[in-house]
């Protein structure tokens, strides 16, 4: 035997397992002054055809456009016109109102489940503004903003949430697991991470066919630990795929903070570096920064310059879902202490600073969003709420397992229908 | 004896085991500080410390894989997969590694570990919070598969599983975590307190793996069930006024074939109830076994009552679940033939 | 008609399909320039170019996942998993995504694709080059499961699978790639050229999914088999001089129940042969179905002849494989009862 | 709908799928002059407690110790004594002789399968010399050198290869899938990548128990694409695990070159960066560099300073296995053109340069290795070769599925034994 004699390390220290802990637990006073927030405008903007390696400094930095005086500054300023800014603002407000109404609906027993994206509204809505209408998304359950921004009917979303007669998914999916081909919104999966490499596959197909549409895949910070994350990055790098891969780092995965996904050691944007993929770390509560980063990545993809991984740094301001109570694992006021602020307030302040907005218009916008959402809700609830479902059209639950109904499923359908008549 | 629901009983089993054996470590998604989304591991981190009870990254493959490494080292992992619907990313490690390690190392590296996971529908969880994938594990030689149906059995079986020298997939019927469920979803929920098997002995005891329980004696037919379906079956035969013998399998692998055979030879009729989709579900194996071993005693075909060969549809949960009506029809069929 | 072995027939099916449909793409480990470790994709990259036929990273999960994305886009992936033993890292994507996508999108995103993979033992491949995991896919609603047993069927079934609107798991019995195998491993290998089903029509034809083939007519008993076991079963009944009807299932899901029922009602006896481990194998489902549907015609218990509930051991390959002796005993049992 | 109008990108280029191709195919003349080989001694050696980020420059560099004059130079020189060097040389020679004999055995029909590690011998043997005897390995099928270096009986290896009566694995495993607890060599898996996160789990357990033994996981370049690679890195980073994770980049995975695993875009060592894990890229054909890198990583692990990912850059000089013929996908003479040379020749030249070796001793060493291997082979073949196996002890194939034999397997055993008597 050649190896060294273990006796030689008699004085070696005991090995230790490090188990990451979040900064604060219930009862603590959250204090994020330790979080380094780079100044808006300070991050350089490489050429979209730059080698991936040139983006490395950006993976530990933070692309920010809106400064403390609510001005858009620096090389990443996408220089959007006021109409576009107002459209993003409106979408964000609508999403927030929608979330609140549907959360309430769940609490009222009208459905089984709901998930908000409070505090993260800028990410999906500004992304939608930055891409083309026919680009494709493989979203998670926190990108409802994509559907809202793309004009998918709010009532259709609600119909899905209620699993009612108008539900495009025929009552088959858990609430918020939307899917709509016409709006380039791929079916949300309950299985975390699965959509990420699927997005790469879609973009591979686009490249194989010489298309010009690109694709964007989405994942949460927690879900980056799944093997599917690795598949996505590996295939994207190998085939130089025209895809944008977005990690929404809202710092929580149910009760686990992002350190449990590795955030103590590296940013999620840094993962890109390891694969030779371009990486950007972006203030996710800054709609302009979101827009700019997506625009940059889209141009890169469309010119065959390669994939980009964007980490949107944000904070999950509310519970994971209606099944979750975050006061069990973090201070209740942590969201308020979060230094990157509220995306709606920040964009509003920017428009105000530009003199393209005023409080009256803002109130009107909120009122309008409220009215729109209520109208949609009324329309949707006419088609039913969850507790009334599951009795009609029982036979439909046997459709679409296959293109045709094979004999064994037909037999089961007959049995289910007979059972219904019992 | 304290009265416990199934969650409390499982929690207690962890505590009893971990107090007795320093080498037991517990990890999984959200199971540490928070105590798990179903609260089964509540308080464990506080009592046993962060290096024995900790949150894991959202990587079922990584959770199982690191558990393999730990078992190779010689400590005993008891891990949680948050929902059985999410076990598939860990399926390769379970099938290719956990199940085969003792065999391929000629016994040098056994893989004692427990993989706990809530399974089954009935909580409006939709397609990805309702699955019953047990048959996919019963096909894999090297795994034991255990499913309790009461707080008493949950604690005793979990302790037995933790002490077992082989890897155990421990499926927890989430619909009955908080109370037995007779399948009548439109009636008020019964809490466990009303059920005798909520009397859970303090401290250490085990319910042996591989032993079924005859939970109701009878002569007219044999009903084989496990997990939630035990309670649904009991209610159904009661409502039908049948002199049925109901067997709670408790362990699917290794199966208590002797108890099954004895019963079917006596009754001559057999109904098998499972919540999982029909085709290639474990009920098929049971049906084949009963037919092979009791053929000349059978007075009617062995019947299966099952979930459908579709994903578990959110709004149609109760049209999917094999509830009282489906059981009633099947019971009538078995008795009529 | 050209004479082909199964590899050539499968290769030809790819070519016929890809010439007719520009949207078919083929990828997998080592399948590009090299043409695959079993050479099924030989010459495809040369003919169809690198963007339609290419090597993939060693990531079965990534291969299936990107195929899902491609099918969502609207092109048709025909992918290879190098050995069925390595399909498990892709199991989550297959079970949770491929199988359920049409359903969960209410038909908007069907997942037409073919996942080809060589399976089965008999080549001294040890535990990880010999597995028969088909039953793990038959339990998953939404998947079709196809297994050819001859060059003629291999081409026709693969073409049908590629044209099918649903996802198909296409298991290729690697032991009979180069010649039919009667189970007598100690006798010289027969090449396909001696077998009538090595006559493979040129160009396009299909063998429909969901249709079994009665490969031998008979009255004394029915033998159900697929893949390699079809040939072993045929040889065994021949050697036993039994008037057996042998059915090659060809498609496990959806199953051709009508053909099975018709035969068992005629013969009154049924033997099922599978190479996979016994417990919860597909033979269990077949046994349950036959028993449920033909109970009053059965003169003896339905028998299963299977692989053992162990991993596939390298040196004991022939003690594991359900060969002529195991079949003989089972046949005798079915006939004696 | 907010997104931009697709019509605006009417002139966008067609997207393209990039499919990586190796530099040379059969018929080409291999010319590796394009490969940048950093000079020996040029890579800096950070402190073993340095933050992971400090190793980033090392992930694109190459740790090399032996220079063109066969001297050991630079900060990574482990300054080994001549006995240790000779031990490594001897192990390498033994491995190569062993491989040649067993390859021949397979060709003679004495077994079903064999895999050589020709050209890669330095990696396992120098690693063994650098670790302690009781440290643990989770190897792949190309680390036979670990067993040889640790003094595992060659005859036992052969018994496994022949699945004969002396096979410690009772004829259950494919040849070369060794396993031996006493030699800290975990059971090799046929399922690529599975062992990598298992190694992390072993080291987590060591940390939980306050042990001082560390663990090393191994993987090939091709297999890094598996999700298990990602699990390993993620868990290692999150819990700061005392593990060394080695990627043996021999540039081929059966017929696929490393570009299909992503090597065109980044080195495998760079992956580490993305996780905040230390990364080293090492000349795998330089035994001293291998030793030094493992020594560095071991010290890091043992002092709770964190995990390290090492990429050993080497070249698979022969076919993947006895089932493979590389002339179908790469030039036959590619190995000879490979610029990093042969590890045995390089270490021999170093010892010669040190005047600690001569040609006579080298011939004697080779002859001795040959004799040892032949003697082991003779001993092993007395216990049988594969074609004679599988008839005796059939009942043993039913053991060890479980701790006890349950009734259903006992029934099957009876049936198998009865069958054997038919
Ligand atoms: C494969 C899988 N494992 C576990 C879960 C349970 N689960 C649902 S959401 C969630 C947390 C996800 O966190 P993150 O990825 O950060 O997304 P976020 O909810 O913060 O948007 C978990 C563990 C799941 N749905 N799928
Ligand atoms: C999960 C899995 N997929 C595929 C294979 C088939 N296979 C065996 S070795 C191999 C190539 C591995 O290449 P690499 O990781 O570079 O290791 P090397 O052989 O070069 O040492 C492949 C694809 C396997 N054994 N396991
Ligand atoms: Mg999150
Ligand atoms: Mg390699």
């Amino acid at each position: 035997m050649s190896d060294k004699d273990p006796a030689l390390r008699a004085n070696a220290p005991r090995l230790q397992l490090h188990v990451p802990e979040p900064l604060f637990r219930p009862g603590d006073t959250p204090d994020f002054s330790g979080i380094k927030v780079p100044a808006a405008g300070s991050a350089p903007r490489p050429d979209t055809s730059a080698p991936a390696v040139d983006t490395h400094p950006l993976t530990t930095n933070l692309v920010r456009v809106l400064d403390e005086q609510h001005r858009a500054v620096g090389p990443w300023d996408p220089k959007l016109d006021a109409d576009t800014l107002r459209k993003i603002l409106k979408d964000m407000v609508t999403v927030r109102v929608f979330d609140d109404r549907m959360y309430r609906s769940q609490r009222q027993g009208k459905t089984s489940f709901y998930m908000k994206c409070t505090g993260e509204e800028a990410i999906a809505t500004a992304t939608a503004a930055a891409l083309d209408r026919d680009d494709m998304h493989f979203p998670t359950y926190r990108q409802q903003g994509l559907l809202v921004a793309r004009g998918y009917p709010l009532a259709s979303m609600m119909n899905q949430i209620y699993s009612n007669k108008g539900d495009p998914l025929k009552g088959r999916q858990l609430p918020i697991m939307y899917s709509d081909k016409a709006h380039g919104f791929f079916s949300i999966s309950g299985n975390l991470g699965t959509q990420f490499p699927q997005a790469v596959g879609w973009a591979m197909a686009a490249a194989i066919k010489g298309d010009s549409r690109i694709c964007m895949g989405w994942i949460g910070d927690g879900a980056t630990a799944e093997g599917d994350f690795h598949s996505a990055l590996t295939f994207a790098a190998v085939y130089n795929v025209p895809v944008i891969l977005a990690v929404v780092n809202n710092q929580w995965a149910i009760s686990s903070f992002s350190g449990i996904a590795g955030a103590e050691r590296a940013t999620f944007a840094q993962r890109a570096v390891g694969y030779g993929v371009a990486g950007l770390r972006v203030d996710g509560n800054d709609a302009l920064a979101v827009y700019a980063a997506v625009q940059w990545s889209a141009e890169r993809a469309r010119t065959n310059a390669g994939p980009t991984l964007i980490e949107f740094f944000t904070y999950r301001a509310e519970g994971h879902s209606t099944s979750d109570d975050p006061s069990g694992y973090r201070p209740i006021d942590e969201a308020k202490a979060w230094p990157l602020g509220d995306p709606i307030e920040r964009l509003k302040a920017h428009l105000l600073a530009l003199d393209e907005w005023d409080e009256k218009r803002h109130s009107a916008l909120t009122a309008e969003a409220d009215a729109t959402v209520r109208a949609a809700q009324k329309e949707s609830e006419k088609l039913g709420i969850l507790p009334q479902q599951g009795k009609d059209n029982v036979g439909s639950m046997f459709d679409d397992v296959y293109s045709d109904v094979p004999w064994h499923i037909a037999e089961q359908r007959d049995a289910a229908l007979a059972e219904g008549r019992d | 004896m304290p009265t416990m629901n199934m969650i409390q009983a499982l929690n207690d089993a962890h505590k009893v085991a971990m107090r007795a054996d320093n080498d037991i470590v517990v990890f999984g998604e959200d199971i540490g500080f928070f105590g798990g989304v179903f609260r089964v591991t509540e308080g464990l981190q506080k009592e046993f410390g962060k290096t024995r009870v900790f949150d894991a990254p959202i990587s079922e493959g990584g959770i199982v894989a690191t558990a393999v490494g730990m078992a190779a080292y010689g400590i005993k992992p008891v891990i949680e997969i948050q929902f059985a619907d999410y076990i598939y990313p860990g399926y390769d490690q379970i099938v290719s590694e956990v199940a085969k390690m003792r065999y391929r190392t000629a016994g040098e590296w056994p893989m004692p570990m427990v993989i706990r996971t809530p399974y089954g529908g009935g909580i409006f969880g939709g397609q990805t919070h309702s699955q019953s994938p047990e048959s996919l594990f019963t096909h894999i030689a090297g795994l034991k598969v255990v499913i309790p149906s009461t707080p008493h059995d949950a604690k005793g079986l979990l302790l037995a599983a933790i002490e077992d020298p082989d890897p155990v997939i421990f499926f927890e019927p989430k619909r009955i975590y908080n109370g037995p469920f007779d399948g009548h979803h439109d009636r008020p929920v019964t809490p466990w307190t009303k059920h005798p098997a909520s009397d859970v002995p303090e401290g250490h005891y085990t319910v042996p793996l591989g032993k079924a329980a005859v939970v109701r004696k009878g002569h007219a037919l044999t009903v084989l069930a496990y997990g939630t379906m035990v309670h649904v079956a009991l209610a159904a035969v009661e409502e039908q006024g049948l002199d049925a013998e109901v067997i709670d399998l408790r362990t699917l692998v290794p199966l208590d074939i002797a108890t099954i055979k004895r019963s079917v030879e006596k009754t001559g009729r057999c109904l098998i109830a499972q919540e999982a989709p029909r085709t290639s579900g474990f009920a098929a194996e049971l049906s084949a076994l009963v037919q092979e071993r009791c053929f000349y005693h059978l007075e009617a075909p062995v019947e299966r009552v099952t979930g459908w060969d579709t994903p578990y549809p959110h709004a149609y949960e109760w049209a999917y679940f094999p509830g009282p009506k489906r059981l009633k029809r099947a019971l009538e069929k078995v008795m009529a033939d």
Side-chain angles (χ1 to χ4, degrees), chain A, chain B:
Chain A
M1 307 213 183
S2 66
D3 322 55
K4 282 183 235 135
D5 184 349
L8 297 173
R9 60 160 206 273
N11 297 321
R14 288 165 70 85
L15 298 174
Q16 286 160 16
L17 192 78
H18 167 77
V19 178
E21 262 297 306
L23 291 172
F24 314 107
R25 285 295 192 190
D28 296 340
T29 306
D31 169 7
F32 288 115
S33 55
I35 302 260
K36 241 191 14 230
V37 179
S42 64
R45 184 182 190 276
D47 199 85
T48 58
S49 64
V53 71
D54 291 6
T55 65
H56 294 185
L58 288 162
T59 63
T60 47
N61 203 323
L62 205 56
V63 173
R64 307 181 72 225
V65 172
L66 291 172
D67 73 4
E68 306 305 308
Q69 286 75 46
H70 315 302
R71 290 170 312 201
V73 296
W76 286 91
D77 176 10
K79 304 210 190 311
L80 299 181
D81 59 50
D83 280 345
T84 303
L85 293 174
R86 281 186 291 255
K87 169 70 166 74
I88 298 173
L89 184 67
K90 183 182 166 198
D91 289 341
M92 288 202 283
V93 169
T94 306
V95 169
R96 188 163 296 179
V97 171
F98 185 93
D99 275 356
D100 279 334
R101 298 284 327 156
M102 289 298 100
Y103 180 87
R104 250 179 253 216
S105 262
Q106 194 277 343
R107 286 294 184 249
Q108 291 163 355
K110 293 179 182 173
T111 191
S112 55
F113 183 76
Y114 192 71
M115 295 181 101
K116 294 175 159 191
C117 67
T118 313
E120 307 174 33
E121 293 91 346
I123 297 166
T125 57
T127 291
L131 288 184
D132 288 358
R133 178 60 197 81
D134 56 353
D135 289 325
M136 183 70 187
H137 288 282
F138 283 72
T140 82
Y141 46 73
R142 274 194 228 286
Q143 279 80 56
Q144 53 263 63
L146 293 172
L147 283 174
V148 170
R150 283 188 163 181
Y152 185 69
L154 301 182
S156 296
M157 293 171 74
M158 292 167 174
N159 292 342
Q160 198 283 321
I161 291 167
Y162 293 137
S163 282
N164 70 14
K165 275 185 291 211
D167 175 8
L169 306 183
K170 301 189 185 168
R172 293 182 190 151
Q173 277 277 52
L174 194 69
I176 61 88
M177 298 286 179
Y178 315 109
S179 172
D180 192 72
K181 197 169 191 169
H183 289 78
F185 190 96
F186 193 69
S187 163
I188 295 170
S189 178
N191 300 75
L192 290 173
T194 48
Q195 72 288 346
F196 218 48
Q198 291 168 1
V200 175
W202 195 98
M204 285 173 74
I208 289 166
K209 300 307 286 183
D211 201 335
S212 64
R213 291 174 296 162
I214 60 169
C215 181
M216 190 153 172
W218 297 81
I219 201 167
D221 51 309
T224 59
E226 291 287 1
D228 279 323
F229 176 85
H230 183 57
S231 302
L233 271 292
T234 302
F235 281 67
V238 168
Y239 305 109
N240 203 40
V241 178
V243 69
I244 306 173
L245 294 168
V247 176
V248 179
N249 176 10
N250 63 8
Q251 303 185 61
W252 289 92
I254 311 185
S255 77
S256 301
F257 86 117
S258 56
I260 298 293
E264 284 185 344
R265 307 275 157 195
T267 69
F268 295 99
Q270 274 181 287
R271 295 274 195 283
V273 175
Y275 298 89
V277 165
L280 301 175
R281 190 153 173 273
V282 176
D283 179 346
N285 292 12
D286 175 344
L288 297 190
V290 171
Y291 186 104
V294 173
Q295 188 181 39
W296 187 93
S297 312
E299 186 175 313
R300 186 173 177 83
R302 268 195 239 286
T303 52
N304 288 306
T308 305
L309 179 77
I310 308 178
E311 171 183 350
F312 293 116
F313 193 44
T314 182
Y315 183 89
R316 196 196 74 208
E318 305 233 359
H320 173 72
S321 72
T322 47
S323 311
D324 179 47
D325 174 8
S327 72
Y329 51 80
R330 69 181 192 190
I332 11 178
D333 49 349
E334 207 177 87
K336 289 199 185 63
W338 174 240
L340 293 181
D342 180 88
I344 296 182
E345 293 307 318
R346 283 173 73 189
L347 186 56
K348 177 186 163 196
H350 176 54
L351 273 162
L352 288 174
L354 289 178
D355 220 5
E356 290 282 358
W357 200 240
D358 55 47
E359 288 295 347
K360 229 179 77 199
R361 287 168 82 178
H362 196 77
S363 305
L365 170 63
T366 311
E368 188 201 323
D370 198 62
T372 311
V373 170
R374 276 172 197 273
Q377 188 175 1
K378 210 164 157 188
E379 182 191 333
S380 171
E381 291 184 5
K382 269 194 215 138
L383 299 175
I385 56 173
L386 179 63
Q388 302 152 352
Q389 308 310 314
K391 284 142 207 149
D392 299 334
N393 276 325
V394 167
S396 77
M397 72 181 260
F398 298 91
D399 295 338
D400 303 321
V401 180
Y402 298 94
S403 53
D404 288 329
V405 181
W407 66 267
H408 63 291
I409 297 184
E411 281 188 5
Q412 294 175 17
R413 181 178 55 200
D414 294 346
L417 293 173
E419 201 174 295
R421 286 186 300 265
D422 279 350
Chain B
M1 248 188 305
T3 294
M4 295 188 189
N5 65 26
M6 202 183 277
I7 291 166
Q8 293 161 331
L10 291 163
N11 182 264
D12 197 42
H14 280 85
K15 287 186 179 153
V16 169
M18 294 183 81
R19 283 174 198 150
D21 183 353
N22 270 325
D23 283 343
I24 295 171
V25 294
V26 174
F27 61 107
E29 295 158 21
D30 300 296
I31 68 91
F33 185 89
F34 185 55
V37 297
F38 290 105
R39 331 291 309 141
V40 169
T41 57
E42 189 158 23
L44 298 185
Q45 187 177 72
K46 199 156 183 190
E47 177 169 350
F48 301 103
K50 282 200 299 173
T51 60
R52 289 184 63 198
V53 181
F54 50 89
D55 286 341
I58 304 177
S59 166
E60 295 74 14
I63 291 170
V64 178
T66 50
V68 169
M70 291 178 197
Y73 179 92
I75 66 175
K76 182 166 292 195
V78 178
I79 60 182
E80 176 177 302
I81 300 296
Q82 199 163 80
F83 286 84
D85 317 59
Y86 306 141
I87 204 165
Y88 308 118
Y91 198 64
D92 183 43
Q93 285 281 346
I94 295 174
V95 170
S96 306
E97 303 292 306
V98 174
K100 298 181 174 64
M101 198 62 74
R102 179 190 286 274
Y103 193 75
R104 79 178 202 223
T105 64
E108 207 169 48
W109 266 299
M111 282 286 128
M113 69 171 71
V114 180
I115 303 178
R116 295 178 37 248
T117 188
Y119 86 100
I123 60 157
F124 276 104
Q127 313 190 4
T128 56
H129 302 88
S130 306
Q131 295 171 31
S132 297
E134 67 277 5
S135 92
L136 303 173
F137 298 86
T138 61
H139 188 48
I140 308 303
L143 302 177
K144 292 182 176 169
V145 180
V146 174
I147 308 186
S149 74
T150 67
H152 174 274
D153 284 6
K155 179 174 170 185
L157 286 168
L158 183 53
L159 279 165
I162 291 173
E163 290 162 18
D164 199 84
D166 292 311
V168 178
I169 316 291
F170 194 89
F171 286 104
E172 299 171 3
K174 68 174 96 70
R175 183 58 175 85
I176 58 171
Y177 267 150
N178 289 303
F181 174 62
D182 62 8
H184 291 284
H185 59 92
D186 38 9
R187 298 191 192 156
V189 176
T190 347
W192 274 113
T193 42
K194 299 264 166 68
H195 194 286
S198 68
D199 282 345
V200 174
E202 277 179 272
H204 182 271
Y205 69 95
T206 58
V207 172
L209 306 191
K211 288 293 302 165
V214 180
V215 289
R216 186 183 196 276
K217 289 217 164 283
H219 296 84
L221 85 160
T222 302
V223 182
L224 305 180
Y226 48 91
T228 306
M229 292 310 294
V230 172
H231 303 278
V232 181
L234 280 169
V237 297
E238 212 66 64
E239 287 160 25
Q240 293 292 102
L242 284 171
D243 180 25
E245 183 141 306
V246 179
I247 298 179
D248 176 358
L249 298 178
R250 297 201 292 206
T251 304
L252 307 195
V253 180
L255 189 69
D256 184 353
I257 190 73
T259 299
I260 295 170
K261 193 159 177 272
R262 208 177 305 125
S263 178
V264 178
E265 285 179 356
K266 176 176 71 177
T267 62
R269 294 171 196 272
C270 182
L271 174 72
I272 305 159
Q274 94 188 358
E275 190 179 337
R278 187 175 191 85
T279 300
S280 291
F282 191 64
E285 177 63 30
L286 291 169
S287 172
L289 283 171
V290 167
Q291 187 269 161
E292 281 156 8
R293 280 149 208 269
C294 311
F295 185 76
Y296 296 103
H297 292 83
L298 284 176
E299 288 162 41
V302 180
E303 280 294 319
R304 291 181 283 173
V305 58
T306 68
W308 308 126
D309 283 318
T310 76
Y312 219 116
H314 178 247
Y316 294 98
E317 170 147 296
W318 298 118
Y320 184 96
F321 185 87
K325 289 182 185 175
R326 202 167 316 155
L327 274 153
K328 180 165 179 262
R329 280 185 171 255
L331 287 166
E332 279 167 2
K333 182 144 192 284
V334 178
M335 293 315 297
D337 277 315

